[in-house]
Amino acid sequence: MTPETFALYIGDRPPMLEELDQELGKTAAEHPAICTLREIGRSREGRPMTMLTMPGGPSHVLVIGAPHPNEPIGLAVIPALARYLAEHPQAREEVSWHLVGCADPDGVAANQDWWATTWPPTLEDYHRGLYRPVAAAQPEWTFPAPAFDATLPETCALMRVIDDVRPALTVSLHGSDSGGVWAMASRAEPALPQVMADLAARYSLRVEQTPSDCIGLPPFGAGAYLLAPPAPAETDGSPGGGDDREWEPAGSSSAHYTARHGGLGLFPEVPMWASAPIRLSPQEAIGVLEDARHVLGDLIAEYAAASDEESVFLTSAKEIRSIIPLMIRQIQENPEAGRDQDLVLLVPARAAGMLLRHGDQLLSATPDCEQLQALRTKTEAVLLSWCHRAEKALRPRPMPLSRTAGYQAEMVLAMAGVLSTAPPGTPGPKGRACPAAP
């Protein structure tokens, strides 16, 4: 297999929700003898969640698109995998496949305008259109845990699938903003680092040695890390509970839930942009984050004074601000690993972008409010300043979707091949029961 293999199945940009449904429906219609497309649940806003199943061998593999709605590369991987698997029966000899098009259709609907035309977008366009839900509103991070039981309808749909098929492998198609490729897994699978290295070389991608998300996590090879266990029951599991409280995750993930059945849960991460290494000392990085926290705090306070409306954008911006102390502590405790991290520059821009969307939402209801107009102008200036700073430091370069989505698709196939001869998983303890799908 070469990078050109999947390039035939991948477009120039990730599909919109309607296009994703159309592509999966087309594959199912063209291959009715081997494909079943069904609804597995509905989102909180009533959007359907669909799964394409192709029966085959005794090993079951589940692949999930868009676990985070601002990470849309997986939306291109799902239909590409569907077409490839339908046209290559040898890929089904040992494996039965289950492809969930989108884990968070509501979140994707709030994001997809920024990839509707150009891929990848500019840093500015991305942050202007970004929506990243709070952890407690993310289907990926609301699986049951000792300190969390507020499971979302979308998560319940995924739980039912995992309980039913008990996959040997669940791949949740995550993405990052810039940098290289890396992966998190529910256990230290020995083959993963070499598979990742080989595919990264084939697709001319670099393996990220110390991604910001993995500082403090145990590595088991270059770019491969063990996921942290869910929070213990003695914490309350409420992320960002107050303005000055350090962020905590919500529940557990699809990887943790798959591990309950003995399967491997895998998060292969791919970036939107290639980027230059930045040069920030630990002290400089901490200074950037501390300044951002104060600026965001002031903006949030001004919005609260101007209106008591709490949009999802404002709530998410508050949570991002509560993540910043955790980032600072990670750098203080791991100065070498924490230095030169892209997210030091990008995380504050995420919050500023969502505060701008909050301001736009308020102005849509009261367009003549001078206080809100001035506050929106101030927020936009902060966002532009932080985006320009990040562009100057990172020099982001567009990467064709065929490279990043192709890498991720091949990663799925390679790891499915590694695990297809493994014995079936032993069921573990069940999480909170979810009602059956209607």
Side-chain angles (χ1 to χ4, degrees):
M1 188 178 290
T2 68
E4 287 72 30
T5 302
F6 270 101
L8 299 171
Y9 303 106
I10 297 170
D12 294 330
R13 60 164 175 80
M16 314 288 272
L17 282 174
E18 183 177 352
E19 294 167 339
L20 175 67
D21 290 340
Q22 290 171 350
E23 290 182 40
L24 291 179
K26 181 180 178 182
T27 298
E30 290 176 350
H31 303 274
I34 59 171
C35 293
T36 301
L37 184 63
R38 68 181 179 94
E39 185 176 306
I40 60 170
R42 292 254 166 177
S43 71
R44 283 153 285 170
E45 295 178 10
R47 293 182 174 88
M49 296 175 64
T50 56
M51 181 172 74
L52 186 71
T53 294
M54 296 187 197
S59 181
H60 291 262
V61 172
L62 172 63
V63 190
I64 302 170
H68 288 141
N70 63 310
E71 300 171 2
I73 291 174
L75 295 174
V77 174
I78 293 291
L81 265 177
R83 289 181 56 196
Y84 176 87
L85 293 169
E87 296 174 10
H88 293 80
Q90 66 273 21
R92 307 190 306 271
E93 289 177 355
E94 300 294 333
V95 176
S96 291
W97 293 89
H98 311 271
L99 310 178
V100 175
C102 179
D104 187 359
D106 297 345
V108 167
N111 270 279
Q112 59 186 1
D113 286 352
W114 58 259
W115 71 77
T117 53
T118 303
W119 183 263
T122 65
L123 276 178
E124 180 184 332
D125 286 345
Y126 168 59
H127 287 98
R128 281 181 179 273
L130 170 78
Y131 170 53
R132 173 83 169 199
V134 296
Q138 295 175 11
E140 177 65 277
W141 283 107
T142 55
F143 284 79
F148 182 86
D149 63 0
T151 307
L152 301 175
E154 298 91 334
T155 311
C156 281
L158 297 173
M159 287 168 60
R160 287 191 293 266
V161 170
I162 294 171
D163 287 337
D164 182 34
V165 307
R166 293 164 66 168
L169 172 66
T170 295
V171 185
S172 188
L173 298 169
H174 285 257
S176 57
D177 294 348
S178 59
V181 299
W182 43 283
M184 292 186 283
S186 59
R187 67 170 186 258
E189 176 54 49
L192 177 61
Q194 191 60 55
V195 167
M196 184 164 47
D198 291 344
L199 289 176
R202 188 183 305 169
Y203 281 87
S204 300
L205 301 167
R206 81 168 191 261
V207 175
E208 195 72 38
Q209 297 301 309
T210 314
S212 181
D213 288 357
C214 297
I215 294 174
L217 296 182
F220 59 95
Y225 294 84
L226 284 174
L227 278 162
E234 56 265 23
T235 67
D236 67 11
S238 55
D243 286 347
D244 294 317
R245 178 176 174 179
E246 187 176 291
W247 179 85
E248 297 173 356
S252 66
S253 70
S254 61
H256 296 103
Y257 200 77
T258 297
R260 295 179 179 218
H261 292 294
L264 173 67
L266 179 62
F267 295 175
E269 304 266 359
V270 290
M272 287 189 288
W273 300 283
S275 60
I278 65 174
R279 295 287 181 262
L280 286 175
S281 70
Q283 293 75 23
E284 289 171 328
I286 290 171
V288 167
L289 291 171
E290 288 179 336
D291 175 71
R293 184 171 178 273
H294 289 302
V295 170
L296 292 171
D298 290 344
L299 288 174
I300 289 168
E302 289 186 57
Y303 276 111
S307 170
D308 58 3
E309 181 177 335
E310 182 84 11
S311 72
V312 294
F313 305 116
L314 177 61
T315 303
S316 291
K318 288 180 178 179
E319 181 172 274
I320 287 180
R321 182 174 180 266
S322 74
I323 291 173
I324 290 177
L326 173 61
M327 296 175 68
I328 291 173
R329 180 168 59 81
Q330 287 178 328
I331 296 171
Q332 290 170 336
E333 295 176 356
N334 306 273
E336 287 306 308
R339 64 182 301 155
D340 299 339
Q341 291 287 348
D342 295 6
L343 288 185
V344 168
L345 302 178
L346 296 175
V347 164
R350 290 183 183 183
M354 285 192 284
L355 284 176
L356 187 63
R357 295 192 73 175
H358 175 64
D360 287 339
Q361 184 167 308
L362 295 178
L363 281 168
S364 67
T366 54
D368 297 326
C369 178
E370 293 183 0
Q371 182 183 8
L372 285 174
Q373 290 172 352
L375 184 51
R376 186 202 180 279
T377 299
K378 181 178 180 180
T379 305
E380 186 172 42
V382 170
L383 173 63
L384 291 175
S385 173
W386 287 352
C387 284
H388 293 163
R389 177 178 64 185
E391 287 176 347
K392 183 178 179 181
L394 298 173
R395 301 195 296 277
R397 302 182 302 281
M399 284 195 289
L401 191 61
S402 58
R403 278 176 63 192
T404 52
Y407 162 88
Q408 214 167 38
E410 277 209 57
M411 170 69 75
V412 172
L413 291 175
M415 292 307 298
V418 168
L419 298 174
S420 62
T421 57
T426 301
K430 294 296 182 70
R432 184 176 69 86
C434 282

